[in-house]
């Protein structure tokens, strides 16, 4: 899991150019990788030890799965239950209810090409913490449109103008009160500001990319993950039980139980609450909702899609460990790196700790999770440039291993692809289940590929 280098721009708006021609996508080894949180890191392919994946088409009781009916009634439910209990955490019955309102509508947004709605969902009560969503649909649409919902790392304006001036005056006053000698410094430097003014962002920081969706007849919606639950990492050891998870505590609880929701499950729950609203909007095709996110949000959208069958499509970018990457594969980030106390244990159910020392003791691996999306559409979108930590090959191998599950229910995956065939940068592989190794960096969504995948499976106006 990468730490984002800049939270100022939503990760969902990052974009990389299509490469001019495919090249073999062997991610370059990093032989001198340093330990992370005191835990060794391997980023050399030759050092990956052998492992055996659990059989995707065998139930936990040993019974073989040979037909779609057994998959849907028995195998898929036990996969979902396992990941709910042991990885991401179940949503407690005490989770808050969310009530939605349309705060504003602009029918001439993006130079008249879009209808923009600002939505607010209050958690727990009408004045409870708010989830802020911006929804764009094509202005020229005559029927409900498919929508891509992106969960991002930061959304909305920073304070500017008068607000910044007032904040600076207040903060300067506090500093002077604490240390009167600083007044002389501020007087000699009247232009000094503790908070710099920032350009007011447009409603769509990457409007050109959103235009590609609108031009194709699709809508786009987005919201900030921290509206749902906080994401404070590092030695402060903040448990991040601050918003939705705090509201969901039962009487006498101070933290979620070991099998209850971590932050990823909370963000996925937030996605489902936005889907609640989208299913009521007459401009949205409720049966064709896609979701996307990158890095820890790549993990989030995969789990949200598996867990909420109203979601028709997932485009998961660089989810890596704790997402689609094979857990048994000792390359890049490992479960132990994720759950060590100084990093991201709060993102998962506490039960996930049991697999840190040896992922091989788990009765499942991520090919099972990927296959649980079937028969719905899933694109594992990874990065060729400098993203060893997320292990693109681990996701590629998971997609290959998940393909029999898709085929069992009459869908197509990476059919005919074998693990010994290399990834190819810029090559789109698969169909209903697909894989793409982007010629770009960690979690940078290639919008042309996203639109291509949506066009393959969603036809606007039908």
């Amino acid at each position: 899991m990468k730490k984002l280098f800049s939270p100022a721009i939503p990760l969902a708006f990052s974009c990389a150019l299509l490469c001019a021609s495919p090249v073999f996508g062997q991610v370059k080894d990093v032989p001198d990788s340093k330990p992370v949180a005191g835990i060794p890191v391997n980023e050399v392919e030759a050092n990956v030890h052998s492992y055996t994946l659990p059989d995707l088409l065998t139930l936990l009781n040993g019974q073989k799965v040979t037909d779609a009916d057994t998959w849907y009634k028995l195998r898929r439910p036990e996969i979902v239950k396992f990941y709910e209990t042991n990885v991401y955490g179940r949503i407690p019955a005490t989770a808050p209810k969310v009530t939605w309102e349309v705060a504003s509508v602009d029918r001439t947004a993006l130079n008249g090409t879009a209808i923009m709605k600002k939505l607010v969902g209050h958690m727990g009560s009408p004045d409870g913490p708010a989830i802020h969503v911006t929804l764009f649909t094509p202005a020229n649409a005559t029927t409900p449109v498919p929508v891509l919902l992106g969960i991002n790392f930061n959304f909305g304006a920073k304070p500017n103008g008068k607000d910044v001036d007032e904040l600076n005056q207040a903060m300067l006053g506090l500093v002077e009160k604490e240390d009167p000698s600083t007044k002389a410094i501020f007087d000699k430097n009247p232009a000094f500001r503790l908070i710099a003014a920032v350009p007011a962002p447009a409603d769509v920081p990457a409007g050109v990319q959103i235009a590609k969706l609108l031009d194709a007849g699709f809508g786009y919606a987005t919201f900030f993950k921290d509206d749902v639950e906080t994401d404070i990492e590092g030695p402060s050891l903040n448990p991040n039980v601050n918003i939705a998870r705090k509201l969901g505590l039962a009487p006498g609880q101070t933290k979620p139980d070991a099998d209850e929701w971590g932050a990823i499950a909370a963000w996925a729950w937030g996605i489902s609450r936005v889907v609640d609203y989208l299913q009521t909007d007459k401009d949205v095709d409720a049966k064709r909702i896609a979701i996307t996110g990158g890095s820890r949000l790549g993990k989030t959208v995969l789990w949200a899609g598996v867990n909420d069958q109203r979601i028709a499509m997932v485009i998961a970018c660089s989810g890596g460990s704790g997402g689609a990457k094979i857990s048994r594969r000792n390359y890049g980030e490992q479960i132990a790196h994720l759950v060590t106390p100084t990093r991201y244990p709060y993102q998962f159910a506490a039960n996930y700790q049991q697999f840190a020392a040896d992922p091989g003791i788990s009765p499942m691996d991520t090919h099972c999770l990927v296959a649980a999306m079937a028969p719905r559409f899933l694109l594992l979108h990874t990065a060729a440039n400098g993203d060893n930590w997320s292990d693109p090959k681990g996701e590629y191998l998971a997609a290959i291993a998940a393909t029999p599950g898709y085929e069992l229910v009459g869908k197509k995956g990476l059919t005919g692809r074998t693990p010994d065939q290399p990834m190819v940068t810029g090559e789109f592989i698969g169909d209903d289940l697909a894989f793409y190794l982007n010629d770009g960096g960690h979690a940078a969504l290639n919008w042309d590929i996203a639109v291509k995948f949506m066009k393959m499976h969603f036809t606007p106006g039908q």
Side-chain angles (χ1 to χ4, degrees):
M1 186 183 297
K2 286 256 185 177
K3 183 175 180 181
L4 290 181
F5 56 87
S6 174
I9 299 177
L11 188 63
F13 293 132
S14 300
C15 180
L17 296 175
L18 280 167
C19 59
S21 60
V23 295
F24 286 117
Q26 175 65 51
V27 177
K28 186 177 180 180
D29 283 343
V30 182
D32 56 349
S33 296
K34 301 295 188 291
V36 171
I39 301 168
V41 174
N42 172 51
E43 294 181 325
V44 176
E45 191 62 36
N47 294 339
V48 174
H49 58 58
S50 61
Y51 57 86
T52 301
L53 290 176
D55 186 358
L56 174 64
L57 300 182
T58 299
L59 296 176
L60 291 174
N61 67 8
Q63 177 186 336
K64 295 298 182 181
V65 179
T66 58
D67 57 79
D69 191 56
T70 305
W71 173 265
Y72 288 131
K73 289 183 178 179
L74 298 177
R75 183 55 169 162
R76 186 185 184 281
E78 72 177 12
I79 292 171
V80 175
K81 183 66 175 178
F82 174 84
Y83 275 87
E84 179 183 61
T85 304
N86 296 289
V87 181
Y88 303 112
R90 63 180 174 83
I91 306 302
T94 49
K97 305 299 182 184
V98 179
T99 55
W100 288 97
E101 63 175 313
V102 179
S104 66
V105 179
D106 179 356
R107 298 191 176 278
T108 60
L110 302 181
N111 298 316
T113 63
I115 298 171
M116 179 180 71
K117 297 175 183 174
K118 295 293 184 76
L119 316 170
V120 180
H122 289 281
M123 293 179 278
S125 66
D127 58 351
I131 305 171
H132 298 90
V133 179
T134 303
L135 168 65
F136 298 89
T137 52
N140 61 358
T142 57
T143 58
V145 300
V147 167
L148 177 63
L149 169 62
I151 179 171
N152 65 60
F153 281 81
N154 199 358
F155 187 75
K158 306 288 191 226
N160 287 279
K162 182 180 178 182
D163 289 342
V164 170
D165 289 340
E166 290 180 357
L167 285 170
N168 271 302
Q169 289 301 316
M171 293 183 71
L172 289 170
L174 289 172
V175 172
E176 290 179 11
K177 183 177 180 181
E178 183 69 22
D179 183 356
S181 68
T182 59
K183 184 177 186 306
I185 299 173
F186 295 146
D187 288 344
K188 284 193 290 186
N189 300 275
F192 175 73
R193 295 290 184 269
L194 291 171
I195 302 175
V198 296
D203 286 303
V204 187
V208 172
Q209 309 308 333
I210 304 303
K212 293 178 180 179
L213 286 169
L214 297 171
D215 289 346
F218 303 127
Y220 183 77
T222 188
F223 74 101
F224 178 29
K225 66 178 172 56
D226 284 28
D227 277 359
V228 176
E229 187 53 85
T230 55
D231 187 18
I232 303 168
E233 59 192 62
S236 63
L237 303 184
N238 188 302
N240 291 285
V241 184
N242 294 325
I243 309 177
R245 295 203 299 161
K246 183 176 181 179
L247 291 171
L249 293 174
Q253 263 191 318
T254 59
K255 63 180 181 179
D257 288 344
D259 68 341
E260 287 185 335
W261 53 347
I264 286 173
W267 299 327
W269 171 88
I271 290 172
S272 290
R273 303 291 69 78
V274 178
V275 171
D276 290 344
Y277 169 81
L278 293 177
Q279 293 215 314
T280 70
D281 192 303
K282 63 181 179 60
D283 295 328
V284 174
D285 184 340
K287 295 185 180 298
R288 293 188 292 179
I289 295 171
I291 60 175
T292 190
S295 194
R296 64 196 65 181
L297 300 181
K299 311 180 206 305
T300 299
V301 295
L302 177 57
W303 177 236
V306 168
N307 204 40
D308 188 340
Q309 296 187 69
R310 299 173 302 171
I311 295 167
M313 175 183 289
V314 172
I315 301 173
C317 298
S318 302
S321 185
K325 160 194 156 55
I326 295 292
S327 296
R328 283 167 165 77
R329 197 176 125 83
N330 64 316
Y331 187 101
E333 189 172 35
Q334 303 294 293
I335 296 174
H337 295 115
L338 290 170
V339 301
T340 193
T342 57
R343 298 192 77 237
Y344 313 115
Y346 62 89
Q347 292 184 6
F348 301 89
N351 281 344
Y352 197 35
Q353 301 271 352
Q354 66 187 298
F355 306 118
D358 181 8
I361 68 172
S362 171
M364 303 209 184
D365 213 311
T366 57
H367 64 307
C368 301
L369 181 66
V370 169
M373 263 298 293
R376 292 163 297 134
F377 311 116
L378 171 62
L379 171 60
L380 299 180
H381 178 300
T382 63
N385 300 334
D387 201 20
N388 307 65
W389 189 234
S390 293
D391 189 15
K393 186 175 180 180
E395 296 200 31
Y396 172 68
L397 296 173
I400 292 172
T403 291
Y406 268 77
E407 293 175 338
L408 184 68
V409 299
K411 294 294 182 177
K412 297 178 181 179
L414 276 64
T415 304
R417 205 82 176 192
T418 60
D420 59 331
Q421 291 177 275
M423 303 178 292
V424 177
T425 303
E427 180 188 14
F428 183 94
I429 314 165
D431 195 304
D432 304 302
L433 167 63
F435 175 86
Y436 184 72
L437 181 64
N438 188 44
D439 187 15
H442 179 70
L445 176 62
N446 186 318
W447 284 80
D448 293 313
I449 292 298
V451 171
K452 173 182 177 176
F453 193 57
M454 291 184 72
K455 282 183 173 181
M456 283 176 63
H457 301 295
F458 295 165
T459 302
Q462 294 184 4

